[in-house]
């Protein structure tokens, strides 16, 4: 867990990790420019939902 915490901190995701570290099967799509969570999934296997969330995050990134 120490390496995970260090990695999350280096990516600016320390608060997200602390708030969600007990969640299993959690996937979050995060806007890298703002750190805003676009969408979270828990135990989802819906590939189209993941793709839609990633496309939404990509559209939020300003060139």
């Amino acid at each position: 867990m120490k390496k995970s915490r260090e990695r999350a901190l280096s990516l600016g995701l320390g608060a997200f990790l602390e708030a969600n570290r007990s969640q299993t099967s959690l996937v979050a799509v995060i806007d890298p420019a703002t750190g805003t969570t676009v969408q979270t999934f828990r135990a989802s296997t819906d590939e189209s939902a993941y793709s839609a969330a990633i496309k939404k995050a990509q559209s939020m990134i300003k060139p």
Side-chain angles (χ1 to χ4, degrees):
M1 185 64 169
K2 183 179 177 182
K3 285 186 178 185
S4 296
R5 186 171 286 124
E6 289 172 357
R7 180 75 171 145
L9 288 172
S10 74
L11 295 170
L13 298 170
F16 180 85
L17 176 66
E18 291 305 315
N20 296 287
R21 67 183 177 160
S22 66
Q23 301 291 322
T24 58
S25 301
L26 174 73
V27 174
V29 178
I30 299 172
D31 178 347
T34 65
T36 303
T37 302
V38 175
Q39 190 166 355
T40 58
F41 302 91
R42 285 186 174 75
S44 176
T45 58
D46 184 353
E47 291 179 33
S48 63
Y50 286 123
S51 293
I54 290 167
K55 286 178 185 174
K56 181 178 178 182
Q58 288 173 327
S59 73
M60 297 167 71
I61 298 171
K62 299 191 190 307

